[in-house]
Amino acid sequence: MDSQANDASEGWMIEDEVPAADDAAVAAPAPWKVLIVDDDVDVHVVTKFSLSNAVFMGRRLSFLHAYSGHEALQMLRQHEDVALVLLDVIMETTDAGLRVATRIRDELHNALVRIVLRTGQPGQALEHGIILDYDINDFWCKTDLTTRKLFTTVIASLRGYHSLSEAQRRVETAQAELASLHRTAGDALQALRGGASWAGTVALGTPPVKVALTVQPGTVPGSFTAEGHIEGQDSGTRPPG
C-alpha cells in the first residue's frame, strides 16, 4: 500500500490509545501496549482490526500509533512500558525503521520491548542481514503476514516481553536485597570496631522474611557473638565468630 502521510490531514490519524479509566477498567488488568509504526493509515486500521480480540494472560491489547520514525521515538519516551513495536521499515526514508530499531536499543536503552519489522517492499531489504545486524525479534513481509501469523507473532512477542520483564524484576529485587545486606553488614562492622553492639532487622527472600539480629563484641579481640531469629519465631544463637 502506497503512503500519502505527508498530504493527509489530521482527520485520518487514529486516536484510540488509552480510554479514560472507569470502574470496570480499573478492575480489569492493564492491557499490553502495542505500538504500530507505519506511514500508511490502512496498515494501522488492518492491524488493529486483526488483533482486536487478542488476549494474552488475561490482558487485552491497547494500541498506540505513530506514522514516522520521529513519532515512534516520541511515543516510546512517553510510554516506557510498551511491550511490542510493529515497525515499518520504509517510511520517511528507506531505512527509517532500521534507524528507529537502533535508537530504541542504543539511545533509549530499552532492551525489553520486542521489535517486529514489517516491510511492503521485501526486494529493498536483505532479510538475513537485517536479522543479524539489528537487535530485532522478527521480520516479515506485509503480504506474508496473515492474520493467523500476525496473531502468533504478537503472542510470542508478548510472551518474550513478559519473561524478560519478570527476569529483570527478580534481578532488581536481588540487587536491592544485596545492597541492603551490605549496608547492614557495614553498620554492624563499624559498631564492632568501635567496641559497641549492634541490633537491627534485615528482610530476606520473596516474600520478604524479617530477621532480627543482635551482634556484640566478644571477649577475644576480633571476635563477636551474634544472635538472630525470624520475627514471630523463637530466637537462636550463633557461636562466637
Side-chain angles (χ1 to χ4, degrees):
M1 291 180 284
D2 294 333
S3 170
Q4 299 294 334
N6 294 333
D7 298 328
S9 65
E10 293 183 356
W12 60 263
M13 296 294 186
I14 301 175
E15 300 290 350
D16 62 346
E17 281 73 26
V18 181
D22 53 23
D23 292 341
V26 171
W32 303 100
K33 291 184 180 179
V34 177
L35 174 59
I36 305 172
V37 185
D38 203 294
D39 58 359
D40 189 338
V41 66
D42 289 340
V43 173
H44 290 255
V45 173
V46 171
T47 300
K48 182 185 173 185
F49 178 78
S50 299
L51 298 171
S52 58
N53 294 322
V55 178
F56 177 63
M57 296 181 65
R59 298 167 60 180
R60 300 185 66 86
L61 275 56
S62 174
F63 298 95
L64 306 174
H65 303 274
Y67 301 88
S68 68
H70 177 70
E71 289 183 8
L73 293 170
Q74 284 186 320
M75 194 68 69
L76 287 165
R77 290 188 182 97
Q78 296 170 8
H79 300 269
E80 296 181 354
D81 57 344
V82 169
L84 169 63
V85 179
L86 297 173
L87 179 59
D88 188 20
V89 175
I90 303 173
M91 292 181 287
E92 59 267 45
T93 63
T94 58
D95 63 347
L98 302 179
R99 292 177 180 270
V100 169
T102 298
R103 294 181 68 182
I104 289 173
R105 304 305 192 198
D106 297 343
E107 182 179 309
L108 302 184
H109 304 292
N110 189 337
L112 293 181
V113 65
R114 304 294 84 192
I115 301 174
V116 175
L117 286 179
R118 302 193 291 182
T119 181
Q121 303 178 42
Q124 297 184 16
L126 297 176
E127 180 176 342
H128 291 169
I130 289 175
I131 292 174
L132 290 172
D133 297 338
Y134 293 87
D135 187 0
I136 63 171
N137 305 104
D138 213 337
F139 183 88
W140 283 93
C141 176
K142 293 176 185 177
T143 56
D144 295 332
L145 197 56
T146 63
T147 298
R148 180 180 61 80
K149 290 179 180 179
L150 176 62
F151 176 83
T152 301
T153 298
V154 168
I155 296 303
S157 299
L158 295 179
R159 181 176 289 112
Y161 175 82
H162 172 72
S163 297
L164 288 174
S165 298
E166 285 298 298
Q168 184 183 66
R169 182 188 62 79
R170 289 193 293 268
V171 168
E172 291 175 348
T173 299
Q175 289 175 336
E177 290 180 352
L178 184 59
S180 177
L181 287 174
H182 281 168
R183 289 192 298 269
T184 299
D187 292 342
L189 182 59
Q190 184 176 2
L192 290 172
R193 285 174 173 170
S197 60
W198 176 90
T201 301
V202 296
L204 302 172
T206 304
V209 176
K210 292 185 177 181
V211 179
L213 297 174
T214 301
V215 182
Q216 298 177 338
T219 57
V220 179
S223 66
F224 66 90
T225 60
E227 296 181 353
H229 68 276
I230 298 175
E231 292 189 348
Q233 298 186 17
D234 294 336
S235 61
T237 302
R238 287 185 54 189

